[in-house]
Amino acid sequence: MATLAINARRCSLCGECIATCPFNAISEVDGKIEIDAGCRMCKLCLKNCPEKAITLIDDKRVAVDKEAWRGILVFVEHLDGEIHPVTLELIGKARELADSTNQPVYCLFMGDQIAEQAKSLLQYPVEKVFVYEDSALRYFRVDVYANIFEDCIRAVQPSTVLVGATSVGRSLAPRVAARFRTGLTADCTTLEIRENTDLVQIRPAFGGNVMAQIVTPFSRPQFATVRYKVMSPAEKGGSPSGTVERCVVSPVRLKSKIRVREVVLNEQSPGILEAETLVVAGRGVKDKQDLELLQELADLLDGQLAATRPLVEAGWVHYSKQIGLSGRTVKPKLIITCGVSGAVQFSAGISGSECIVAINQDRSAPILDQAHYGVVGDLYEVVPSLIDRIKG
Amino acid sequence: MRITGSKARGVILRIVVCIKQVPATSKVQIDEVTGVLRREGIESKLNPYDLYALETAVWIKDKVGGAVTTLTMGPLQAEEAIKESFILGADQGYLVSDRKLAGSDVLATAYTLSQAIRLLDGYDLIICGKQTTDGDTAQVGPEVAEFLEIPHVTWVKKVNEVTEDSIVVEQDLGTSSAILELPYPALITVEKDIFQPRLPSYRRKKLTAAQQVNVLTFSDFLDSDEQKYGLNGSPTQVERVFPPDANEDKVLWEDEPSLLGEKIYMLIKDRNFI
Ligand SMILES: Cc1cc2nc3c(=O)[nH]c(=O)nc-3n(C[C@H](O)[C@H](O)[C@H](O)COP(=O)(O)OP(=O)(O)OC[C@H]3O[C@@H](n4cnc5c(N)ncnc54)[C@H](O)[C@@H]3O)c2cc1C
Ligand SMILES: Nc1ncnc2c1ncn2[C@@H]1O[C@H](COP(=O)(O)O)[C@@H](O)[C@H]1O
């Protein structure tokens, strides 16, 4: 077990480690430095100790044989056969990562009566689509899906497994990753790969205040869930030699403890995820009624109205329209924010947008920095003038 | 909502709620030199999402009878989180605290929690929050379920039925919802707003003030393989943290409102957005 040890003979009790520990896990007890359970192993104390009295005692970790694991496996998410678009984004990314490390791209597709859809995936640059077909796989049930996932991984031995960071993916992936006792990085927004096939995963952390770069250097396969609408979807064509491989489903693997009573489609107002143009209302909007002004602008631009969290919390706008870390990530062509300050938790959700226009009257608002076009002005004046202009 | 098995009939559900103490502020800064997070102060609070998990447990207990046990892994100060859970209706609580657990990622955390749960006097239902505000992975719950080899359902937005041997819940899958029945033992992670968390009452605060928090350490665990805990049991490694991108090629317009409207109009017209 890795642990930090303090060499009492070297230690001068200068207190530098106590002061630097971001977690307040170090204290002086009876003339000795002690590290308690608050330690997160950030090793900052070790770097800062002027006496070099702190050392890391690290047992050798046995890394897996990385050569034995090859290929990038993409989980095909679908609802009753209809493939979720995040799947194509995963294939697109997988192809890129695979090409630079000379690996194949595989898809895992489990469901009921999905032969046609499986074949359709061959339009994209994938080497193989592994198909597990059974009526018991029609709807997502985490235990059965995890079993099949496990079977596939054991058979294919992929180096990397990519799953969409959707509701289904974020329930399934941790289950499978834990089964292989391997690492899973949640909700990645950037993926790169090293020559030795180590995946470099970047994700927002601490509520989007910082980005964290995470690797899984000792185990395989390495799992990542990837945010929807962040990567570009795969282009058609490219690998006409791809094949569909039907795999055996063994009945014991299909025994579920979970009984699906009913699956219903949620009521869908036209989604902000698909919209090419978005108008976002922030707290600069003073009154619920004033949303009509922004709705009018959205309508004129053939777009959708979205909002920041405070407006959703006030009950003015439905949660499905919330953009940001705890809302949706959007990737429209054009996004016009009105009275939005640009808190990191919000901007985490719009950074993939092609053109960001921000209207804010406060010159120092962070959003004016994040936008491609910062417009310093009162939304109650700028928006009506824009509407007038569009109407001609 | 159908409830079968009343307190009178003696259904006693053993419910475990996993809770975590998180920094009270989301304002973290990065030390430019070392790349390490600096937290302003060390104020902590209960992960807000875990309040919903706890409320769900207490609600079920009130309906069918049961006992609610809270569990957390963290430094000794995390005892506060368990004490807070007493005020909010938990009957007993455990803190897992040991330096050997330092540096745990999701996998090691989940394994540690599963080991702690195995030490309890049986359990029927485990409830986790949807996610934490610091780790923010929403992965710990499902991984705990995997280690305990029990079924799990994430994103539960509604409890439809609680019976002696199973629970029926509604899962939010974004575009669809599933109504699922799962037998005990099982684990669920609950959405915000499933139940409105109660406010701490002064009466319960006084009532529970003297209640003890049970502390578990590494030496209590059945599995004493050190490679499965702490930093060594953590397959993922944070290589660096850095601030989100700054925007380099931005344009700032300051002008009369009508001219600003005109400028935006020309922009969206030029770029064929209309
Ligand atoms: C863990 C966590 C997750 C979060 N997730 C999200 C999330 O998903 N989405 C989200 O949006 N927030 C989220 N937040 C909240 C976020 O931190 C901000 O509080 C929020 O985004 C602020 O919303 P706002 O910009 O509308 O309001 P404010 O910050 O109040 O900004 C209002 C802006 O409007 C400007 N303004 C006022 N009047 C006018 C006018 N007449 N004309 C032009 N401009 C005007 C002001 O100058 C100001 O800049 C989260 C916070 C946390 C801690
Ligand atoms: N250290 C911990 N101790 C107890 N429960 C935890 C801990 N970390 C996470 N959890 C539980 O797992 C849920 C998801 O956490 P996370 O995966 O960090 O987003 C939380 O809401 C808690 O219920």
Side-chain angles (χ1 to χ4, degrees), chain A residues 69 73 149-158 161 176 180 221 223:
Chain A
W69 298 81
L73 180 65
F149 214 138
E150 180 192 353
D151 288 353
C152 183
I153 289 176
R154 291 207 189 286
V156 177
Q157 299 240 36
V161 179
V176 185
F180 284 89
F223 278 74

Side-chain angles (χ1 to χ4, degrees), chain A residues 281-296:
Chain A
R283 201 148 51 180
V285 176
K286 296 292 172 310
D287 195 286
K288 185 174 179 194
Q289 272 190 2
D290 303 342
L291 288 174
E292 284 168 23
L293 180 71
L294 300 184
Q295 183 68 55
E296 185 184 358

Side-chain angles (χ1 to χ4, degrees), chain A residues 7-62:
Chain A
N7 182 334
R9 260 188 289 156
R10 284 194 156 198
C11 175
S12 64
L13 293 177
C14 69
E16 190 63 35
C17 53
I18 301 176
T20 34
C21 177
F23 308 106
N24 274 25
I26 308 182
S27 52
E28 187 187 324
V29 184
D30 298 334
K32 264 169 60 190
I33 294 295
E34 286 199 353
I35 306 178
D36 67 27
C39 171
R40 303 274 187 101
M41 291 299 250
C42 72
K43 297 176 219 140
L44 195 56
C45 55
L46 185 147
K47 287 178 202 142
N48 280 15
C49 175
E51 321 290 348
K52 306 250 175 295
I54 307 178
T55 43
L56 175 73
I57 301 183
D58 198 357
D59 307 353
K60 281 275 169 296
R61 291 180 70 155
V62 204

Side-chain angles (χ1 to χ4, degrees), chain A residues 4 35 209 213 266 369 389, chain B residues 26 99 174 177 239 250 262:
Chain A
L4 293 168
I35 306 178
N209 282 297
Q213 176 172 320
N266 287 348
D369 255 343
R389 193 63 185 79
Chain B
S26 63
R99 239 190 92 192
S177 297
E239 282 190 324
K250 57 183 186 220
E262 171 72 20

Side-chain angles (χ1 to χ4, degrees), chain A residues 170 186 203, chain B residues 17-22 47-51 53 70-75 78 82 94-96 104-106 109-110 113 126-142 144 188-190:
Chain A
R170 295 186 71 183
R203 67 175 302 244
Chain B
V17 186
C18 297
I19 62 177
K20 188 186 181 191
Q21 209 174 39
V22 297
N47 174 31
Y49 292 101
D50 295 346
L51 291 170
T70 46
L71 170 65
T72 192
M73 170 184 133
I82 300 290
Y94 288 84
L95 163 67
V96 187
S104 294
D105 72 352
V106 170
T109 301
L113 292 175
I126 302 170
I127 308 181
C128 287
K130 172 191 176 138
Q131 66 195 56
T132 51
T133 51
D134 60 346
D136 201 8
T137 76
Q139 290 174 175
V140 167
V144 169
I188 60 174
T189 77
V190 300

Side-chain angles (χ1 to χ4, degrees), chain B residues 61 79-93 200-213:
Chain B
K61 166 186 144 176
E79 188 188 65
E80 285 309 313
I82 300 290
K83 289 203 163 146
E84 192 177 338
S85 76
F86 292 153
I87 304 174
L88 297 171
D91 300 292
Q92 54 166 343
S201 88
Y202 180 68
R203 200 183 62 85
R204 274 212 53 105
K205 190 167 180 177
K206 273 188 75 174
L207 215 62
T208 60
Q211 196 171 342
Q212 290 298 309
V213 176

Side-chain angles (χ1 to χ4, degrees), chain A residues 340-382:
Chain A
V340 174
S341 63
V344 278
Q345 295 88 359
F346 169 79
S347 27
I350 62 164
S351 54
S353 308
E354 205 175 296
C355 177
I356 304 172
V357 178
I359 306 174
N360 194 309
Q361 64 188 12
D362 174 6
R363 210 180 176 291
S364 65
I367 191 84
L368 295 175
D369 255 343
Q370 299 150 3
H372 302 108
Y373 297 88
V375 181
V376 186
D378 184 340
L379 75 95
Y380 287 96
E381 295 172 342
V382 178

